[in-house]
């Protein structure tokens, strides 16, 4: 247990110590080597880098240098990332073998290791994180502490105003005032649907019943979205603190976080956070000496996309198959074990402490008229800079893809971007300048979703993409209601027919009819939004569907049944790149002469298309 | 099949029962503990043996049929053991856009098994996952949890060659 004064003392002491993390002008003898320990960088050996640094520093008996594991810096495609503070030097794609050079050259001699610096979009080498174009247009609120603090150290969180919002709420605000602040800030649910958060809190507070629950939805099922995971990995206490605040506001004393078991690092970090908060008396009985009690438990999701739907999630916490309930009654009235329950997504919670500390007016000054604050996107696919991006609502897709994302690699053209994952739709070139917020995305046939943003270049077949999403939905449909269980399956069969070149025009009509009717009849969000990828590709890329049906052609060659990979003799220079890279040796040709592909051997893997420097293969 | 082996060897059966009981002891008998328990067992054995299901059923007072229903609902739980090298190809959107479908096709073609199956010698099994979170180095596949990033058909072939020769 720590008293208020003790926590304040930790804050003051630690903040001074950690000033070099945020202030590059500070004249400090100490240096901090920050290494990303999020899932992305961990996959490319960042734990080994941390150990190697520690070993070298110990061996060389260097004083005043600390190696710190942090959460995600955001620029995942350049990982593993190492940042040295206070000078804020940004090293990209570091390997364990590079550690020695960084220590000897940078730490000991004070010189920059040029060849490890990150290349910016224009090809120039950049020294600091802040000067990278990737970060310039971003505004970090939910990700504020990610990449700055050690997520497994509560003192570091406290140093950067951690648990100050909780203190303010418990000692100086009534539950109604808390809810009013959240309502005034304009914060809306970041899980996808965009329901006003303050209103949800209000409804749960007004619901009758003594026992109430707070649930954090961390079942991030959208494949290709990873912002919730990164927040839990990089700043777990910010979510925990917000859950406690929500508990106070709605008069609940028990919280649950439902997190995917496939996120072992996030689960581990959150458990550590709970433990540390309990130790400091920030969870448990009589928090900050008040009569408010609150505790949080972790529940693991076991890999079912539908459990991201709030009522399915509740069923799953109760230990059952995650099948959604018919609404109403809504969870605010009958949720977990049929008691009033508040369910918010991770990113929504991550905004709460900032709003409490900086005020509703500050938050509502960011964003557009109806969508306030920022949104974190997981930018992926055919884009140069892959990673996590947090931008104010209203930023255009063009800014995200080109200014932050660095555009499309390999001199290809932008074709479409998918937001909202399997529930969303694709956005074509002509809507690149749409300011992104909840309403505008809906208008152009997509949705905000949880924040996955997948960019596709002109080598992608949109019919094949729609098929991919439908096969996902069919896999993940829980089977409770017929429109979703059978309807999506029929849609997938039709799409398969089209991509196989066996469809007639009337199949397209059938597909459209299903796509229009399933949303009207399915019981939960999964089924209601499942046809979105088909509807939006039909809207913007209808001619591609028609090509598949009428001419049995796939212009990108992705639909294998229709595709013949061919080398354009006019463009081929006989460089032999395709021949050398073909995994099945299907290509033959003399150097300097036009090459040919043996169709009977070709497996259609597309490697040759990707490696041809002259774009001669289609 | 390992399940048959279990039945023929009561000694192994006893050992398994004991181990499962140890896992159960950590939890109270509330029904909502079913999924965490199943998760522990899946992690420990790589699948959920029938004997374990029986033990859980008795402990939590949940019918076997219901437990079977829960196991088959969640993709993380499996009823069959995985191969010595459990290969998983990410079919999340970010990886799909970067061509993970081709890697999956190649893998299935080479090992001559389908998704969710294990080779007859028990050496390899194939699964698909939806996003392991390494989108920055997409496409990826994992072998026993270790991530192989920026994957190509060629890279997959190289790794499989090594595994088949026992060089890894």
């Amino acid at each position: 247990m720590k008293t208020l004064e003790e926590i304040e003392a930790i804050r003051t002491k630690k903040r001074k110590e950690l000033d070099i993390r945020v202030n590059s002008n500070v004249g400090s003898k100490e240096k901090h080597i920050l290494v990303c320990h999020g899932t992305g960088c961990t996959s490319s050996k960042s734990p080994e880098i941390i150990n190697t640094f520690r070993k070298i520093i110990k061996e060389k008996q260097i004083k005043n240098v600390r190696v710190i594991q942090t959460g995600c810096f955001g620029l995942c495609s350049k990982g593993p990332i190492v940042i040295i503070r206070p000078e804020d030097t940004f090293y990209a794609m570091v390997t364990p073998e590079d550690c020695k050079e960084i220590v000897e050259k940078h730490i000991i001699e004070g010189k920059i290791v040029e060849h490890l610096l990150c290349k910016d979009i224009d090809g120039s080498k950049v020294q600091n994180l802040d000067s990278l174009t990737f970060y310039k247009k971003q505004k970090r609120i939910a990700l504020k502490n990610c990449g700055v603090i050690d997520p497994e150290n509560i003192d570091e969180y406290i140093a950067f105003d951690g648990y100050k919002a909780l203190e303010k709420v418990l000692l100086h605000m009534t539950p109604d005032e808390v809810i009013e602040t959240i309502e005034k800030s304009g914060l809306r649910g970041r899980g996808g649907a965009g329901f006003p958060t303050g209103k949800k809190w209000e409804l749960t507070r007004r619901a009758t019943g003594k026992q109430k629950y707070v649930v954090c939805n961390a079942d991030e099922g959208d494949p290709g979205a990873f912002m919730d995971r990164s927040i839990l990995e990089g700043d777990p206490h910010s979510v925990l603190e917000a859950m406690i605040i929500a508990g106070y506001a709605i008069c609940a004393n028990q919280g649950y976080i439902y997190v995917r078991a496939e996120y072992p690092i996030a689960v581990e970090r959150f458990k550590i956070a709970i433990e540390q908060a309990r130790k400091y008396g920030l969870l448990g009985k009589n928090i900050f000496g008040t009569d408010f009690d609150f505790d949080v438990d972790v529940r693991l999701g076991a890999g079912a996309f539908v459990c991201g739907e709030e009522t399915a999630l509740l069923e799953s916490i109760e230990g059952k198959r995650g099948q959604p309930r018919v609404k109403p009654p809504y969870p605010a009235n009958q949720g977990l074990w049929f008691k009033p329950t508040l369910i918010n997504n991770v990113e929504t919670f991550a905004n709460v402490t900032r709003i409490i500390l900086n005020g509703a007016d500050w938050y509502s000054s960011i964003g557009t008229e109806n969508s306030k604050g920022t949104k974190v996107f997981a930018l992926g696919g055919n884009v140069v800079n892959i990673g996590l991006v947090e931008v104010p609502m209203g930023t255009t897709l063009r800014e995200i893809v080109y200014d932050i994302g660095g555009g499309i690699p390999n001199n290809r053209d932008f074709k479409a971007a998918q937001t909202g994952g399997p529930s969303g739709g694709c956005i074509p070139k002509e809507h690149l300048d749409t300011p992104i917020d909840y309403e505008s995305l809906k208008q152009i046939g997509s949705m905000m979703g949880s924040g996955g943003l997948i960019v596709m270049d002109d080598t992608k077949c949109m019919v094949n993409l729609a098929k991919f999403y439908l096969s996902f939905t069919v896999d993940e449909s829980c089977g409770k209601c017929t429109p979703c269980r059978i309807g999506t399956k029929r849609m997938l069969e039709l799409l398969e027919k089209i991509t196989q070149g066996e469809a007639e025009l009337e199949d397209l009509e059938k597909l459209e009819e299903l796509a229009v009717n399933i949303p009207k009849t399915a019981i939960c969000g999964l089924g209601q939004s499942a046809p979105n990828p088909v509807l939006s590709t039909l809207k913007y890329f209808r001619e591609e569907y028609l090509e598949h049906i009428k001419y049995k052609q796939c212009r990108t060659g992705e639909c294998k049944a229709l595709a013949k990979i061919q080398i354009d003799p006019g463009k081929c220079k006989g460089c032999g790149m395709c021949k050398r890279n073909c995994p099945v040796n299907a290509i033959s040709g003399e150097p300097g002469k036009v090459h040919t592909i043996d169709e009977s051997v070709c497996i259609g893997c597309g490697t040759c298309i990707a490696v041809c420097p002259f774009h001669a293969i289609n | 099949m390992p399940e048959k082996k279990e039945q023929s060897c009561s000694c192994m059966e006893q050992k398994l029962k004991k181990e499962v009981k140890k896992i159960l002891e950590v939890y109270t008998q509330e029904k909502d503990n079913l999924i965490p328990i199943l998760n522990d067992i899946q992690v420990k054995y790589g699948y959920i043996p029938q004997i374990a299901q029986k033990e859980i059923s008795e402990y939590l007072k949940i019918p076997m049929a219901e437990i079977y229903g829960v196991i088959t609902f969640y993709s993380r739980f499996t009823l069959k053991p995985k191969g010595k090298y459990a290969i998983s190809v990410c079919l999340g959107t970010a990886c799909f856009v970067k061509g993970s479908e081709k890697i999956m096709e190649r893998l299935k073609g080479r090992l001559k098994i389908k998704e969710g199956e294990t080779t007859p010698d028990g050496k390899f099994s194939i699964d698909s996952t939806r996003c392991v979170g390494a989108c920055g180095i997409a496409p990826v596949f994992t072998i026993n949890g270790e991530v192989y990033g920026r994957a190509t058909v060629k890279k997959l072939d190289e790794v499989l060659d090594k595994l088949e020769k026992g060089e890894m």
Side-chain angles (χ1 to χ4, degrees):
Chain A
M1 278 289 278
K2 296 257 188 265
T3 62
L4 257 178
E5 291 73 30
E6 282 169 329
I7 285 183
E8 189 52 46
I10 293 174
R11 187 172 292 136
T12 321
K13 186 172 160 252
K14 249 327 200 212
R15 182 64 180 78
K16 220 173 145 191
E17 207 180 285
L18 298 185
D19 205 30
I20 63 168
R21 299 268 179 90
V22 284
N23 195 346
S24 52
N25 300 322
V26 101
S28 164
K29 271 188 191 164
E30 204 170 304
K31 279 195 197 305
H32 289 180
I33 303 177
L34 308 180
V35 186
C36 173
H37 199 283
T39 296
C41 286
T42 303
S43 306
S44 26
K45 295 189 177 163
S46 74
E48 208 181 315
I49 294 173
I50 295 175
N51 289 337
T52 315
F53 269 129
R54 289 196 173 135
K55 211 177 116 205
I56 297 173
I57 284 164
K58 209 175 156 194
E59 272 170 15
K60 295 192 183 281
Q61 297 180 334
I62 303 170
K63 296 237 161 59
N64 297 325
V65 175
R66 283 173 59 197
V67 184
I68 289 134
Q69 56 157 6
T70 69
C72 182
F73 294 110
L75 191 45
C76 303
S77 53
K78 297 281 196 287
I81 293 170
V82 171
I83 295 182
I84 299 180
R85 302 274 185 185
E87 54 268 47
D88 184 31
T89 311
F90 189 99
Y91 291 128
M93 296 176 106
V94 178
T95 63
E97 291 74 40
D98 294 326
C99 296
K100 197 167 167 240
E101 192 181 354
I102 293 179
V103 173
E104 285 175 352
K105 219 169 159 189
H106 188 119
I107 304 290
I108 298 176
E109 292 177 29
K111 288 179 191 156
I112 302 286
V113 186
E114 293 280 343
H115 72 98
L116 290 176
L117 288 179
C118 186
K119 261 195 198 158
D120 208 347
I121 299 168
D122 59 3
S124 64
K125 291 210 164 179
V126 175
Q127 270 196 24
N128 311 103
L129 181 143
D130 291 335
S131 13
L132 270 168
T133 326
F134 180 74
Y135 292 100
K136 276 187 187 156
K137 280 203 173 169
Q138 294 197 46
K139 185 172 179 64
R140 298 191 140 209
I141 296 174
L143 298 176
K144 185 179 155 276
N145 282 333
C146 288
V148 177
I149 63 167
D150 175 355
E152 294 182 14
N153 187 334
I154 189 173
D155 290 353
E156 294 206 357
Y157 176 70
I158 290 175
F160 293 100
D161 294 337
Y163 291 101
K164 218 174 172 176
L166 180 66
E167 183 191 320
K168 184 176 171 187
V169 162
L170 288 188
L171 301 180
H172 307 290
M173 289 171 91
T174 64
D176 283 332
E177 280 169 348
V178 177
I179 292 173
E180 206 191 305
T181 309
I182 300 297
E183 221 165 345
K184 246 181 84 190
S185 74
L187 177 64
R188 294 170 66 176
R190 297 289 191 252
F195 192 82
T197 308
K199 185 129 195 246
K200 213 175 200 181
W201 289 29
E202 169 82 17
L203 287 170
T204 323
R205 176 164 169 75
R206 301 285 161 236
T208 45
K210 257 192 177 166
Q211 178 69 57
K212 293 180 186 177
Y213 296 103
V214 174
V215 172
C216 175
N217 182 349
D219 189 54
E220 193 171 44
D222 171 6
F226 50 98
M227 50 270 136
D228 291 348
R229 192 202 64 220
S230 287
I231 293 171
L232 292 178
E233 284 176 358
D235 194 14
H237 282 284
S238 70
V239 179
L240 185 58
E241 186 183 355
M243 285 178 74
I244 309 171
I245 293 172
Y248 174 74
I250 67 157
C251 299
N253 52 33
Q254 177 65 46
Y256 291 98
I257 179 163
Y258 184 87
V259 48
R260 290 177 67 186
E262 288 92 336
Y263 286 177
I265 302 177
V267 173
E268 194 49 38
R269 298 244 165 99
F270 204 83
K271 281 184 176 166
I272 293 172
I274 291 176
E275 201 106 312
Q276 290 174 337
R278 278 191 192 136
K279 225 171 156 185
Y280 277 25
L282 300 162
L283 270 181
K285 297 234 172 275
N286 305 105
I287 300 171
F288 282 134
T290 63
D291 55 7
F292 174 64
D293 309 335
F294 195 78
D295 213 338
V296 173
D297 274 323
V298 177
R299 283 288 182 271
L300 294 183
F305 177 65
V306 69
C307 288
E309 199 279 338
E310 52 185 12
T311 56
L313 184 150
L314 296 175
E315 290 282 306
S316 185
I317 293 183
E318 292 176 13
K320 302 177 210 155
R321 294 166 71 105
Q323 290 185 313
R325 301 171 183 167
V326 177
K327 294 190 275 192
Y330 291 94
N333 291 308
Q334 285 186 28
L336 200 54
W337 293 293
F338 294 97
K339 306 276 190 260
T341 303
L342 171 76
I343 307 173
N344 278 141
N345 148 280
V346 173
E347 195 191 329
T348 315
F349 276 129
N351 281 292
V352 167
T353 55
R354 300 286 118 210
I355 294 170
I356 299 287
L357 286 177
N358 298 337
D361 293 338
W362 163 79
Y363 195 78
S364 63
S365 70
I366 306 161
T368 62
E369 199 188 337
N370 291 315
S371 306
K372 301 297 185 192
T374 56
K375 177 78 193 93
V376 186
F377 287 101
L379 187 60
N382 302 123
V383 61
V384 174
N385 292 331
I386 297 171
L388 276 194
V389 214
E390 183 170 359
V391 288
M393 294 276 191
T395 306
T396 66
L397 192 59
R398 187 185 298 280
E399 286 173 287
I400 298 177
V401 174
Y402 286 94
D403 299 348
I404 297 171
I408 318 296
N410 308 326
N411 290 323
R412 288 285 173 185
D413 279 332
F414 173 91
K415 186 168 191 179
Q418 176 95 4
T419 60
S423 312
C426 71
I427 304 168
K429 220 175 187 172
E430 58 259 39
H431 289 303
L432 264 174
D433 289 309
T434 310
I436 292 186
D437 68 17
Y438 290 100
E439 278 71 30
S440 66
L441 283 179
K442 220 175 237 171
Q443 258 172 27
I444 56 174
S446 185
M447 66 182 280
M448 181 72 84
S450 60
L453 207 173
I454 306 288
V455 181
M456 282 156 284
D457 66 17
D458 54 356
T459 62
K460 296 290 160 300
C461 168
M462 301 316 276
V463 186
N464 193 39
L465 180 84
K467 190 181 90 178
F468 163 75
Y469 279 121
L470 251 295
S471 69
F472 178 84
T473 327
V474 168
D475 250 12
E476 296 294 342
S477 171
C478 79
K480 183 165 177 167
C481 72
T482 322
C484 179
R485 183 182 67 240
I486 299 174
T488 56
K489 178 91 182 148
R490 292 292 95 83
M491 283 182 78
L492 177 62
E493 284 164 4
L494 288 167
L495 285 165
E496 271 164 355
K497 238 173 131 182
I498 297 173
T499 53
Q500 293 285 333
E502 292 159 2
E504 302 298 327
L505 273 174
E506 59 183 25
D507 290 318
L508 199 60
E509 279 166 36
K510 280 186 206 158
L511 185 69
E512 275 185 299
E513 198 186 333
L514 282 167
V516 171
N517 285 318
I518 292 172
K520 293 180 192 160
T521 45
I523 66 166
C524 86
L526 192 155
Q528 286 158 10
S529 61
N532 279 349
V534 173
L535 286 170
S536 67
T537 46
L538 268 174
K539 186 171 169 188
Y540 297 117
F541 299 96
R542 198 180 187 87
E543 73 283 0
E544 279 190 38
Y545 280 87
L546 292 175
E547 280 167 16
H548 282 73
I549 297 169
K550 280 193 193 161
Y551 310 115
K552 316 292 175 204
Q553 251 178 23
C554 172
R555 60 170 86 171
T556 64
E558 277 208 316
C559 299
K560 246 179 89 183
L562 306 178
K564 265 196 218 157
I565 298 184
Q566 281 174 330
I567 299 176
D568 183 345
K571 286 183 183 169
C572 177
K573 303 265 190 279
C575 71
M577 272 298 265
C578 52
K579 191 176 154 185
R580 279 194 296 280
N581 282 286
C582 177
V584 290
N585 299 322
I587 303 177
S588 55
E590 298 286 317
K593 289 190 181 144
V594 174
H595 283 46
T596 48
I597 300 174
D598 182 349
E599 271 174 42
S600 61
V601 184
C602 173
I603 53 166
C605 73
T607 306
C608 52
I609 302 178
V611 297
C612 177
F614 309 106
H615 299 317
I617 309 178
N618 285 306
Chain B
M1 291 298 289
E3 278 170 28
K4 269 185 198 158
K5 254 189 219 162
E6 280 159 19
Q7 277 158 10
S8 63
C9 175
S10 65
C11 176
M12 261 180 75
E13 202 173 296
Q14 288 305 324
K15 191 177 157 242
L16 189 70
K17 264 189 187 172
K18 235 187 197 167
E19 287 172 351
V20 171
K21 273 193 179 133
K22 231 182 194 166
I23 291 174
L24 292 172
E25 273 169 21
V26 182
Y27 295 93
T28 60
Q29 283 173 290
E30 306 293 331
K31 288 190 166 59
D32 58 307
N33 282 327
L34 176 60
I35 292 172
I37 291 171
L38 289 175
N39 191 54
D40 284 359
I41 291 171
Q42 176 75 36
V43 170
K44 187 161 173 147
Y45 300 104
Y47 75 113
I48 302 184
Q50 209 177 0
I51 298 169
Q53 295 172 39
K54 232 182 218 164
E55 290 296 316
I56 301 169
S57 167
E58 278 164 26
Y59 188 73
L60 296 180
K61 311 223 162 26
I62 299 175
M64 285 277 278
E66 217 174 300
I67 293 177
Y68 180 82
V70 171
I71 292 173
T72 50
F73 186 84
Y74 296 99
S75 63
R76 188 172 169 79
F77 304 140
T78 50
L79 293 161
K80 282 185 197 157
K82 296 223 165 100
K84 185 182 168 199
Y85 300 108
I87 308 176
S88 209
V89 181
C90 179
L91 291 185
T93 323
C95 284
F96 172 79
V97 167
K98 293 239 171 152
S100 63
E101 211 184 12
K102 283 156 193 160
I103 290 167
M104 179 58 112
E105 267 169 40
R106 178 72 180 154
L107 186 62
K108 286 197 284 197
R110 230 187 112 151
L111 298 179
K112 298 191 177 57
I113 49 169
K114 288 186 206 139
E115 257 180 79
E117 291 181 348
T118 308
T119 50
D121 61 358
K123 204 166 176 186
F124 297 102
S125 59
I126 307 179
D127 275 301
S128 64
T129 48
R130 305 284 189 190
C131 200
V132 293
C135 309
I137 49 172
V140 304
F141 61 90
T142 66
I143 300 178
N144 295 342
E146 193 183 329
V147 180
Y148 293 77
R150 299 189 176 97
T152 56
V153 171
K154 210 175 166 189
K155 209 166 167 182
L156 173 80
D157 275 342
E158 283 167 12
V159 176
L160 285 179
D161 285 345
K162 277 187 188 165
L163 288 178
E164 274 169 358
K165 284 183 204 150
E167 286 172 6
M168 273 171 84

